[in-house]
Amino acid sequence: MIFLTALPLFWIMISASRGGHWGAWMPSSISAFEGTCVSIPCRFDFPDELRPAVVHGVWYFNSPYPKNYPPVVFKSRTQVVHESFQGRSRLLGDLGLRNCTLLLSSLSPELGGKYYFRGDLGGYNQYTFSEHSVLDIINTPNIVVPPEVVAGTEVEVSCMVPDNCPELRPELSWLGHEGLGEPAVLGRLREDEGTWVQVSLLHFVPTREANGHRLGCQASFPNTTLQFEGYASLDVKYPPVIVEMNSSVEAIEGSHVSLLCGADSNPPPLLTWMRDGTVLREAVAESLLLELEEVTPAEDGVYACLAENAYGQDNRTVELSVMYAPWKPTVNGTMVAVEGETVSILCSTQSNPDPILTIFKEKQILATVIYESELQLELPAVSPEDDGEYWCVAENQYGQRATAFNLSVEFAPVLLLESHCAAARDTVQCLCVVKSNPEPSVAFELPSRNVTVNESEREFVYSERSGLVLTSILTLRGQAQAPPRVICTARNLYGAKSLELPFQGAHRLMWAKIGPVGAVVTFAILIAIVCYITQTRRKKNVTESPSFSAGDNPPVLFSSDFRISGAPEKYESERRLGSERRLLGLRGEPPELDLSYSHSDLGKRPTKDSYTLTEELAEYAEIRVK
């Protein structure tokens, strides 16, 4: 509000000056609307001792010195004035009372300028006062807005117009004040230098929406067409409010992402993009764009936009969700277990969205979860069947990843039904098939011969492992007699298992014995029969021949009495010797993976002084033939 003094300083100065000095007092500046009038208040003084009979005065325009011939505004002696002021100027004050107040009417812009007064007391007593008044011709009201208008704080806006025309009084009204408040007209007020103003006040509490609002004031003069309007835009200061920002953003890994933050404030805010307390970008602007090139899962998270100025701050967050295929699953858990133990295996991965996790073995699903990052597989009592390779597969709509892992179940040996012995010709082959973990040691026992053969004796035993199954093969050669009993024993740190191996295909064993031996025996019998027939025919021929005499006939010999000196003893001794020898051979070459075993002899040949049954029979037959 404008505070005005009741007694203007101007008049105080006049009163104090009454002491006989040349001086003039008038407002340094005064204003009036174009087309109206203005009264320039003026007082002057001179020394008391002069005591003039008549006091005259002159008003000049823009210069105080007569020699410069300035335009005369008013002259009391002659009433001769400059053409610009003809009919427009007259003196309102009484010069005899030292009042030089001037009235100017029908104001136009060219009348704006400096006005000087010169006192004329007669003779040489003339004085041009340096004091002057500047007239300002206006055509808009003056709207006064406080230098700082803050939203939420009450403010006073005033409309001021000059009221220095005694002939025309202005009336004020507000324009565009709807929603702001009701105006209050204070009326006519005197200013410090003796001029008058008409004032209207408007009180209201501004909001951010009022920023930039165009507020107007109108001055009108009754009974005239004169109207003057003035406008002012409200500069309302207010803290930032974030008005534009992305909602939650989903982006595929490797794509481009733009995050926008826009704020409304006055003055413009400092915008800052942050993540986890780290400033990513900032600028003084109404909006700020954060560009993320080829986003990765590491950039997934919450981003914050902070807007601040001198009047406050605001912040908002946006969540960026980077969609990506599952990472390669990791498997944590027991990978080696003893039969009967409980096994817990945890498979975990990371993806967005969460994947479908599946654990399977040999195409059989064992466990699965949907939209989870972890999967727990519980095997309460593992068995050898649980041993093997497992797969953990994670998949979502963006891809699939898998991890293989092996579970090793350790258990005592188990002898499988495939274990047996088989014979072909003079060879016996024994198969001991064992399932165990860890790998067992295998031994073959021949109780009748008090012989034990283990895997270290590679001349007789060949072993091959496939997974958890170990196949050991014992090969015996030269088995002319009935095959021996064979006991297979498998042993590891969890126990031992023994099995007497059954023989398969006994009839083939019989033909295997008969085959080579029978051929030799049959051949020997045929030779003996042929010899017998030949001897019989010879005897018959000798008996029937007349050239032989009874006394010369040799003794009759029968095949049963036919003997060669020393042959039977040699045959018996050789046979006993051969039957006492061990007939073990070496099976050197491995069987095929399909377990169709070869019967070729890769073992050591018998020594040259040893005899097989076939050789003994062949030698005996040769003796008989001779």
Side-chain angles (χ1 to χ4, degrees):
M1 179 180 292
I2 301 174
F3 295 94
L4 304 177
T5 60
L7 184 63
L9 180 63
F10 172 74
W11 299 115
I12 296 176
M13 294 175 65
I14 290 294
S15 301
S17 66
R18 295 191 181 276
H21 298 284
W22 290 100
W25 293 265
M26 63 188 72
S28 60
S29 65
I30 193 169
S31 60
F33 282 105
E34 182 180 359
T36 64
C37 67
V38 63
S39 173
I40 303 176
C42 175
R43 282 280 185 176
F44 70 97
D45 197 12
F46 52 85
D48 292 335
E49 63 268 19
L50 295 180
R51 300 180 182 273
V54 179
V55 178
H56 291 279
V58 181
W59 280 93
Y60 292 113
F61 181 64
N62 279 341
S63 177
Y65 304 111
K67 64 180 180 180
N68 293 334
Y69 302 102
V72 176
V73 177
F74 173 82
K75 190 172 184 180
S76 62
R77 282 182 180 275
T78 63
Q79 301 294 321
V80 177
V81 297
H82 188 270
E83 61 181 355
S84 300
F85 295 96
Q86 288 182 0
R88 292 184 172 183
S89 63
R90 65 188 176 97
L91 192 67
L92 293 181
D94 185 351
L95 296 179
L97 299 177
R98 305 181 187 189
N99 187 338
C100 52
T101 300
L102 176 68
L103 176 66
L104 298 174
S105 59
S106 301
L107 295 175
S108 59
E110 65 270 15
L111 300 186
K114 298 177 181 179
Y115 289 82
Y116 295 88
F117 178 72
R118 179 179 175 85
D120 182 2
L121 305 184
Y124 294 101
N125 296 319
Q126 298 181 11
Y127 190 84
T128 300
F129 298 98
S130 59
E131 292 82 359
H132 62 277
S133 184
V134 178
L135 174 61
D136 183 21
I137 309 299
I138 64 174
N139 54 21
T140 59
N142 180 28
I143 299 178
V144 180
V145 180
E148 184 176 75
V149 178
V150 181
T153 303
E154 186 179 30
V155 66
E156 178 185 273
V157 179
S158 63
C159 177
M160 302 176 61
V161 295
D163 188 10
N164 296 303
C165 178
E167 300 172 356
L168 297 172
R169 298 295 182 188
E171 293 182 354
L172 299 179
S173 60
W174 288 94
L175 305 176
H177 70 287
E178 294 82 3
L180 296 180
E182 292 299 323
V185 179
L186 294 182
R188 191 166 183 259
L189 298 177
R190 173 179 276 177
E191 296 180 297
D192 291 342
E193 291 188 336
T195 58
W196 294 85
V197 293
Q198 193 74 250
V199 179
S200 179
L201 301 179
L202 184 64
H203 291 265
F204 61 95
V205 177
T207 63
R208 67 177 56 248
E209 291 76 19
N211 183 47
H213 183 79
R214 200 162 178 257
L215 185 64
C217 179
Q218 185 184 75
S220 60
F221 293 86
N223 303 318
T224 70
T225 58
L226 297 176
Q227 282 188 346
F228 302 93
E229 294 179 355
Y231 291 90
S233 293
L234 297 179
D235 184 20
V236 181
K237 308 296 184 182
Y238 54 91
V241 173
I242 295 177
V243 296
E244 184 179 12
M245 194 167 184
N246 304 79
S247 57
S248 295
V249 177
E250 289 187 356
I252 300 175
E253 181 179 12
S255 63
H256 174 270
V257 173
S258 296
L259 300 179
L260 177 64
C261 178
D264 174 36
S265 73
N266 186 28
L270 172 65
L271 292 177
T272 305
W273 274 108
M274 304 177 68
R275 179 170 181 260
D276 297 333
T278 301
V279 175
L280 303 178
R281 190 183 180 194
E282 64 179 0
V284 176
E286 293 182 353
S287 64
L288 185 62
L289 193 64
L290 178 64
E291 303 279 355
L292 300 176
E293 302 288 344
E294 298 183 355
V295 293
T296 65
E299 294 173 289
D300 187 287
V302 176
Y303 291 75
C305 176
L306 175 65
E308 57 184 337
N309 64 11
Y311 300 95
Q313 66 177 23
D314 189 20
N315 66 83
R316 284 178 59 185
T317 60
V318 58
E319 183 174 358
L320 172 61
S321 182
V322 179
M323 318 302 285
Y324 57 97
W327 291 0
K328 187 177 179 63
T330 58
V331 179
N332 298 321
T334 304
M335 294 303 148
V336 177
V338 179
E339 182 179 14
E341 289 183 345
T342 298
V343 173
S344 179
I345 297 173
L346 178 65
C347 175
S348 60
T349 186
Q350 183 175 328
S351 70
N352 193 11
D354 284 332
I356 299 174
L357 274 173
T358 305
I359 296 179
F360 66 89
K361 178 189 180 199
E362 297 175 355
K363 299 182 180 181
Q364 180 182 359
I365 295 176
L366 302 179
T368 186
V369 291
I370 298 176
Y371 305 137
E372 297 285 346
S373 60
E374 292 184 351
L375 174 59
Q376 188 89 20
L377 175 63
E378 293 283 349
L379 300 175
V382 292
S383 65
E385 287 69 26
D386 295 319
D387 189 285
E389 184 181 59
Y390 292 73
W391 285 88
C392 179
V393 179
E395 60 180 329
N396 62 14
Q397 60 264 45
Y398 300 103
Q400 181 188 84
R401 295 296 297 274
T403 296
F405 61 95
N406 287 285
L407 173 61
S408 178
V409 179
E410 297 185 343
F411 54 95
V414 177
L415 293 171
L416 304 183
L417 297 177
E418 298 93 312
S419 302
H420 68 278
C421 289
R425 294 182 178 273
D426 61 343
T427 300
V428 173
Q429 198 170 61
C430 293
L431 229 64
C432 187
V433 184
V434 185
K435 185 176 183 181
S436 76
N437 188 22
E439 182 176 344
S441 61
V442 177
F444 293 92
E445 181 182 359
L446 284 69
S448 61
R449 301 186 183 180
N450 197 24
V451 173
T452 300
V453 181
N454 56 39
E455 294 173 291
S456 62
E457 301 181 62
R458 298 184 178 274
E459 306 164 77
F460 309 108
V461 179
Y462 170 78
S463 295
E464 181 179 86
R465 185 176 176 87
S466 175
L468 300 178
V469 177
L470 175 69
T471 302
S472 292
I473 306 168
L474 172 66
T475 303
L476 302 176
R477 296 183 52 81
Q479 300 302 306
Q481 299 178 357
R485 290 173 57 220
V486 178
I487 298 175
C488 174
T489 300
R491 186 188 309 275
N492 67 9
L493 58 92
Y494 298 106
K497 190 73 172 180
S498 297
L499 175 68
E500 183 173 345
L501 303 179
F503 268 86
Q504 296 181 356
H507 61 284
R508 288 185 292 174
L509 177 61
M510 179 185 67
W511 286 110
K513 290 183 178 180
I514 295 176
V517 177
V520 175
V521 172
T522 303
F523 179 72
I525 293 174
L526 289 176
I527 295 295
I529 293 173
V530 171
C531 292
Y532 174 75
I533 296 174
T534 303
Q535 292 295 333
T536 303
R537 286 182 178 179
R538 287 181 179 176
K539 180 178 180 182
K540 183 178 180 181
N541 291 335
V542 171
T543 305
E544 293 178 352
S545 175
S547 57
F548 288 93
S549 62
D552 296 330
N553 289 342
V556 178
L557 300 175
F558 298 96
S559 59
S560 58
D561 299 325
F562 183 75
R563 298 287 187 272
I564 297 177
S565 176
E569 291 78 9
K570 177 181 180 181
Y571 173 78
E572 290 297 329
S573 62
E574 291 288 335
R575 183 175 180 181
R576 284 193 300 271
L577 179 62
S579 62
E580 292 174 355
R581 294 194 177 102
R582 294 174 59 192
L583 302 176
L584 294 175
L586 172 64
R587 177 67 174 175
E589 58 188 55
E592 298 294 329
L593 291 180
D594 59 358
L595 300 180
S596 57
Y597 301 101
S598 170
H599 296 287
S600 60
D601 181 14
L602 297 180
K604 293 182 179 180
R605 303 295 299 175
T607 57
K608 62 182 180 177
D609 60 342
S610 64
Y611 289 88
T612 65
L613 179 59
T614 305
E615 293 171 329
E616 292 170 351
L617 292 176
E619 184 177 4
Y620 178 70
E622 184 180 358
I623 294 172
R624 292 285 292 180
V625 171
K626 293 180 179 180

